[in-house]
């Protein structure tokens, strides 16, 4: 990565603060809706989805805190570790709820509200994650990229919850969202291990390469 000018670095820092502000606002709303819908439908998957939103708020807040410091790079490692812990916590909670559901502790009722919030997240989160990971790559910040991967995990979880809710609504398969949630839990552990070790692989490498080529041509 070429050396950033002071002005460019300041612009990217402002962009990061804007991204995390939007992420926190959206996920607070998402958490309230998902937890409410999960409580009404007795859905462990929706409750886990709401908890994921809470963890995403914590992750974004950690990055926001980092970029209010006079020297954000100094706090890079501790911020990445905090995001990794959030991944592990999410995996543990989703796993426990999924196993309890599969064991027949509770049944999932139909939830149009849950289907709506999961669909909205599938539309919003991929674009937001791409924008943040692009910014983190330009800035050379592992913590920003780790937070973006947290958003990507929300996409996986949104898809899993949506499939489970639709399968339950259309076919009466109450176990489907629990199985999908266990897959997401495995992904969460993998992402947490990568963040803990500082090994972050961009899920948007092709798009980033195209963007870099376009920027080079513009120069």
């Amino acid at each position: 990565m070429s050396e950033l000018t002071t002005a460019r670095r300041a612009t990217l820092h402002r962009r990061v603060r804007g991204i995390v502000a939007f992420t926190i606002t959206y996920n607070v709303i998402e958490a309230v809706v998902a937890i409410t819908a999960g409580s009404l439908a007795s859905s462990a998957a929706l409750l886990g989805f709401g908890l994921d939103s809470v963890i995403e708020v914590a992750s974004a807040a950690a990055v926001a805190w980092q970029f209010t410091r006079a020297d954000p790079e100094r706090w890079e490692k501790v911020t990445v570790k905090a995001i990794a812990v959030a991944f592990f916590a999410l995996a543990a909670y989703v796993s426990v709820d999924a196993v309890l559901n599969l064991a027949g502790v509770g049944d999932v009722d139909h939830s149009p509200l849950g289907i709506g919030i999961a669909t909205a997240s599938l539309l919003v989160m991929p674009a937001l994650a791409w924008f943040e990971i692009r910014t983190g790559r330009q800035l050379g910040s592992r913590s920003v990229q780790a937070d973006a991967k947290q958003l990507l995990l929300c996409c996986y979880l949104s898809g899993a919850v949506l499939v489970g809710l639709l399968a339950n609504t259309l076919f009466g398969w109450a176990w489907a969202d629990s199985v999908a949630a266990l897959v997401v839990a495995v992904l969460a552990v993998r992402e947490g291990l990568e963040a803990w070790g500082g090994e972050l692989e961009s899920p948007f490498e092709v798009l980033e390469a195209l963007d870099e080529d376009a920027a080079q041509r513009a120069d």
Side-chain angles (χ1 to χ4, degrees):
M1 183 187 67
S2 59
E3 189 68 24
L4 292 174
T5 64
T6 301
R8 179 59 176 164
R9 187 175 295 275
T11 297
L12 291 173
H13 284 189
R14 287 194 298 271
R15 185 182 297 174
V16 169
R17 288 192 290 270
I19 290 170
V20 295
F22 177 84
T23 300
I24 290 172
T25 301
Y26 180 86
N27 280 286
V28 166
I29 296 171
E30 184 180 75
V32 171
V33 174
I35 290 173
T36 300
S39 299
L40 293 174
S42 300
S43 170
L46 274 174
L47 289 173
F49 185 48
L51 180 64
D52 170 72
S53 299
V54 173
I55 293 175
E56 284 178 30
V57 170
S59 174
V63 175
W65 172 83
Q66 178 193 353
F67 281 87
T68 61
R69 307 297 93 190
D71 183 14
E73 287 73 18
R74 176 184 176 187
W75 303 96
E76 185 87 4
K77 289 184 178 180
V78 66
T79 304
V80 173
K81 298 293 187 186
I83 293 172
V85 170
F87 277 120
F88 296 141
L90 172 61
Y93 184 87
V94 170
S95 296
V96 170
D97 271 1
V99 170
L100 289 176
N101 236 19
L102 287 172
V105 172
D107 293 326
V108 181
D109 294 330
H110 305 318
S111 179
L113 182 60
I115 291 173
I117 192 62
T119 301
S121 293
L122 279 176
L123 296 175
V124 172
M125 288 303 167
L128 187 61
W130 174 78
F131 186 53
E132 185 173 20
I133 207 164
R134 175 173 174 259
T135 301
R137 184 183 176 94
Q138 292 175 354
L139 192 57
S141 171
R142 294 196 309 274
S143 63
V144 174
Q145 293 180 70
D147 186 60
K149 296 191 80 172
Q150 181 83 337
L151 296 180
L152 187 64
L153 183 64
C154 179
C155 300
Y156 299 151
L157 188 56
S158 300
V161 171
L162 182 59
V163 168
L165 292 175
L166 288 175
N168 186 37
T169 298
L170 297 175
F171 307 111
W173 297 348
W175 49 265
D177 61 342
S178 296
V179 173
L182 288 175
V183 174
V184 173
V186 172
L187 293 173
V189 171
R190 188 198 68 182
E191 301 295 353
L193 290 172
E194 286 187 1
W196 188 268
E199 299 174 1
L200 297 173
E201 179 182 352
S202 170
F204 302 105
E205 288 179 350
V206 175
L207 293 176
E208 289 171 359
L210 292 174
D211 185 68
E212 288 177 1
D213 290 342
Q216 290 173 359
R217 288 195 297 270
D219 294 337

